[in-house]
Amino acid sequence: TPFAVALVVAGQTRSFTSPLVSSAFKTLVSRLPSGEAVMLAVLTTESTNRGDLRPGGWHSVTRFTTTALDKTMHSLGLPWRARYLSNSGSPSEAAAACSNEELRNLLATASGTKKLPEGGMHGSLIKRVVAFDLLLSYEQSTQRTPERVLFLRPDTVYILDVAALDPNCSTGVYVRNDQFAAMPRRLAGYYFTSYATDRSLHGAGDEPPNITVIGQAKQLASPAERNLGGLTLMPHFHLAYYGVPFAGGGLEMDPNNIDCAGYTPLKQMLAIRDLPSFDSTPGVCYNKMPNNIEVRALLARFNVSACTPASLHQGSHHLQAARKRERIPPPSNPPPPPTAPLVLVVGLLVIATLGLCWCRRARASKGKEATVNVGAPSATAGHNRRALEEVTV
């Protein structure tokens, strides 16, 4: 039985249980069709925040009880299911939390071989695999399938347009960096399994990292992000790799924004830090004052101010401070100019984002759900190309 939307929340818990963020989620839920939404969450019983300026920096840990997490989930006012992980970012822990065999295989390697990438951004992608397994389990146990799936982070305030449930751009995935996504259910399997590309590019099992593709991705990245290599960790890099059309903003590439029929379901989003300043004052803070009136009113209502100093949370200033604190050497010179293979990669990205909508409409009409069959663990890119395919749940 179809229903309107599944809100899939995954990531470090951070500020999710704070009055500010939980209130924002309640407001979001209240605007959805009554009885037509469910929330599925993968949260952590402990979390860290790179904005923590207390002694120990981002190594400081905030801990949550499952009772407190249950209470927050229950307070949001809609049906929900949740799985709670530690913050280790361990693929093996995540695999143990999955009931789907193909997804467990995605998070596994043979004994004695090189371990999978984990922690940091890799850890956030791993949690999304568990979130997709939770969605599959919900569908199988209730015999209900959402028409739309929204991905949300636990530590972010979102102001959405209800049109997100009935978009003009219905044959692709709308993304905002790695923090938000809206998609038809049949493409959810692709979005939530971007860890498949991550493990292949960065090496797993006996295979080395794919340095060539990683280098080309850095060239595609926007200049401000080029030395970070973050594009390969973005879910839309995985979508482009498999020809799934996407649009949106904050893409960390050139172009940084791609329009699709004027579709903008996300009016505003604002990451809320849970560990604010030098003086260890409890509470939450924001990085940059938003221009959305509703979000400003929410910040004023809960007396939330900017993090101090704000520059630590933005771009190169934060990166330089982090390197100094962690004694990480500065990056080497930028990669050399693009070589011939880059033309192919650029072409694939352009085609994936702008040229494949018409063929996806044909697939949409068949009513198939997108999931992943990754088969036996392997780290080669060739394995990933063969493994990802649309199947009926």
Side-chain angles (χ1 to χ4, degrees):
T1 304
F3 63 99
V5 62
L7 305 178
V8 180
V9 179
Q12 291 195 56
T13 300
R14 291 180 173 164
S15 59
F16 181 68
T17 61
S18 69
L20 169 68
V21 176
S22 59
S23 176
F25 269 95
K26 290 175 186 176
T27 300
L28 186 157
V29 168
S30 70
R31 294 172 179 173
L32 298 175
S34 178
E36 289 295 311
V38 63
M39 180 174 288
L40 307 171
V42 175
L43 303 171
T44 57
T45 54
E46 56 186 42
S47 61
T48 57
N49 195 315
R50 66 182 182 180
D52 184 6
L53 302 179
R54 300 178 302 178
W58 56 27
H59 296 295
S60 299
V61 177
T62 302
R63 291 180 173 84
F64 306 87
T65 65
T66 56
T67 301
L69 295 176
D70 283 346
K71 183 178 180 181
T72 298
M73 292 294 299
H74 185 72
S75 71
L76 300 181
L78 78 171
W80 62 275
R81 292 187 183 183
R83 290 179 185 168
Y84 304 135
L85 306 174
S86 72
N87 191 38
S88 66
S90 164
S92 59
E93 179 193 23
C98 292
S99 57
N100 182 276
E101 182 179 1
E102 287 83 2
L103 296 179
R104 288 199 305 269
N105 287 338
L106 174 58
L107 298 168
T109 55
S111 176
T113 59
K114 182 180 177 181
K115 70 176 185 178
L116 295 171
E118 61 181 53
M121 276 291 295
H122 307 292
S124 70
L125 300 183
I126 288 170
K127 294 177 184 67
R128 297 179 202 202
V129 176
V130 180
F132 185 59
D133 184 82
L134 184 57
L135 173 61
L136 292 178
S137 296
Y138 177 83
E139 291 175 333
Q140 291 165 0
S141 64
T142 64
Q143 295 298 300
R144 301 187 73 208
T145 301
E147 296 173 349
R148 303 285 297 168
V149 177
L150 303 184
F151 168 76
L152 308 167
R153 270 178 40 165
D155 61 347
T156 302
V157 168
Y158 297 93
I159 305 298
L160 299 182
D161 187 341
V162 178
L165 304 181
D166 185 24
N168 295 321
C169 185
S170 61
T171 56
V173 180
Y174 180 93
V175 299
R176 183 69 186 180
N177 202 261
D178 70 326
Q179 297 173 286
F180 173 81
M183 69 208 79
R185 169 59 185 86
R186 64 189 182 80
L187 297 180
Y190 289 106
Y191 179 84
F192 285 97
T193 58
S194 57
Y195 186 68
T197 296
D198 180 35
R199 62 169 279 170
S200 181
L201 292 181
H202 292 84
D206 293 322
E207 298 292 330
N210 193 328
I211 301 299
T212 300
V213 176
I214 292 176
Q216 292 173 347
K218 287 183 177 181
Q219 287 296 328
L220 287 169
S222 58
E225 304 289 338
R226 187 158 292 160
N227 288 323
L228 302 180
L231 178 59
T232 59
L233 290 167
M234 291 293 153
H236 52 273
F237 185 83
H238 173 77
L239 297 178
Y241 198 61
Y242 292 101
V244 178
F246 65 90
L251 303 178
E252 296 194 11
M253 55 177 278
D254 290 325
N256 193 48
N257 298 282
I258 297 176
D259 180 73
C260 183
Y263 175 47
T264 54
L266 184 63
K267 292 182 177 180
Q268 180 79 53
M269 71 177 183
L270 180 67
I272 302 296
R273 302 295 182 189
D274 57 318
L275 302 167
S277 61
F278 289 115
D279 60 7
S280 299
T281 303
V284 294
C285 63
Y286 61 87
N287 291 348
K288 184 179 180 181
M289 175 59 76
N291 56 18
N292 182 276
I293 296 177
E294 186 173 352
V295 178
R296 286 185 177 226
L298 193 64
L299 295 174
R301 174 185 167 193
F302 290 96
N303 195 29
V304 174
S305 58
C307 302
T308 306
S311 61
L312 281 176
H313 304 274
Q314 299 177 26
S316 60
H317 295 289
H318 166 69
L319 183 64
Q320 291 167 9
R323 287 199 180 100
K324 183 178 180 180
R325 185 164 62 242
E326 300 292 331
R327 292 186 172 87
I328 299 174
S332 57
N333 292 331
T339 54
L342 178 60
V343 175
L344 176 59
V345 178
V346 175
L348 286 173
L349 286 170
V350 172
I351 292 172
T353 47
L354 302 178
L356 292 179
C357 285
W358 64 271
C359 64
R360 291 293 162 186
R361 292 193 183 96
R363 290 193 178 189
S365 66
K366 296 180 181 180
K368 287 189 174 183
E369 305 296 339
T371 63
V372 176
N373 184 351
V374 295
S378 173
T380 63
H383 162 73
N384 271 346
R385 293 191 187 94
R386 295 191 300 272
L388 280 171
E389 59 185 32
E390 286 186 284
V391 298
T392 301
V393 174

